[in-house]
Amino acid sequence: VPVRLKFLKKEETEWNQLYDLVQAVAFSHPEIHFSVYKDGQLVLNAPAVDRVIDRASQIWDVQYAKHLLEVKTHEGAECAVSGVISRPVVHRYNRSDILLFVNGRWVKNQHLLKAVVRGYAQSLPDGKFPMAVIFVTIAPDRVDVNVHPRKEEVSFISPGRVESVVVDAIKQALQQLSAPEEPLDTKHFLSQLKRA
């Protein structure tokens, strides 16, 4: 019996973790074509694309594409931030669709996660969260990747500055919206997501 077999969780849980990993790698490498099958059925077909926003429409359903905004920092910031975020009319009940990347690596960082939500300020209803793919590019000596055995978590030399850049980048992207939008029925779109 494989020694790690006893550590495996339910099949659905293991599948979701695997799908999350593939999703993250697909976002960080849009130039690669990804196909995912489950029980012989194609559940994700994501051909190579040039832009993260196009990859998002492949992974999150093409209906989301028109509700996404591109994020980009201004020159001279502590770090560079890019990616896509959902308009306030699209929101989730949890943070599962906020993906963070630092220097191309998919990471977990609670402070960055909170910074993404702070960027929306009063734009989202209480208890609701955006969909976002955020890439932070920063000098390697300004980030510590050794805070977790599997390198999943990172910390920054100047966390407050990095968080501030993320918040500002998201606010700037949201300022592109000229008028408040009507809330979108995300239940319909979520039902289209094929996570089998």
Side-chain angles (χ1 to χ4, degrees):
V1 177
V3 71
R4 290 192 59 82
L5 185 61
K6 65 181 180 180
F7 295 109
L8 294 178
K9 299 180 174 68
K10 292 181 180 177
E11 185 176 336
E12 184 180 354
T13 303
E14 294 294 334
W15 162 254
N16 287 337
Q17 290 179 352
L18 175 64
Y19 190 86
D20 287 346
L21 176 61
V22 172
Q23 175 179 270
V25 176
F27 271 122
S28 62
H29 294 281
E31 74 283 1
I32 297 175
H33 184 158
F34 288 85
S35 299
V36 180
Y37 293 82
K38 183 182 182 189
D39 300 327
Q41 297 291 317
L42 180 66
V43 295
L44 174 66
N45 182 35
V49 292
D50 295 324
R51 304 180 311 154
V52 174
I53 197 166
D54 296 325
R55 181 66 96 196
S57 70
Q58 295 171 337
I59 293 177
W60 285 337
D61 190 282
V62 70
Q63 294 295 331
Y64 277 120
K66 61 186 176 185
H67 298 289
L68 295 175
L69 300 170
E70 293 191 271
V71 174
K72 193 166 176 100
T73 47
H74 54 78
E75 295 290 326
E78 173 81 8
C79 57
V81 173
S82 62
V84 295
I85 60 172
S86 59
R87 294 169 182 255
V89 293
V90 177
H91 44 72
R92 301 295 306 269
Y93 292 95
N94 56 47
R95 299 176 176 88
S96 63
D97 282 320
I98 300 176
L99 287 85
L100 305 170
F101 298 85
V102 174
N103 292 343
R105 180 194 295 272
W106 181 38
V107 301
K108 296 173 183 173
N109 181 291
Q110 290 301 314
H111 298 292
L112 271 187
L113 206 56
K114 290 176 181 175
V116 171
V117 176
R118 279 205 317 273
Y120 279 78
Q122 308 300 318
S123 301
L124 289 175
D126 289 342
K128 301 296 190 298
F129 302 93
M131 301 175 76
V133 180
I134 298 295
F135 293 89
V136 175
T137 304
I138 189 169
D141 62 351
R142 306 300 294 168
V143 58
D144 182 2
V145 298
N146 296 311
V147 296
H148 190 278
R150 290 184 297 184
K151 314 293 187 191
E152 288 182 345
E153 298 177 20
V154 296
S155 62
F156 299 99
I157 302 302
S158 305
R161 292 183 184 176
V162 176
E163 292 162 34
S164 178
V165 174
V166 171
V167 170
D168 289 345
I170 290 173
K171 284 183 176 179
Q172 286 176 28
L174 292 174
Q175 285 174 358
Q176 297 173 29
L177 303 175
S178 55
E181 301 172 300
E182 288 297 315
L184 186 70
D185 180 10
T186 54
K187 233 178 189 181
H188 166 71
F189 291 127
L190 294 177
S191 68
Q192 303 301 314
L193 293 177
K194 297 205 172 189
R195 216 180 246 206

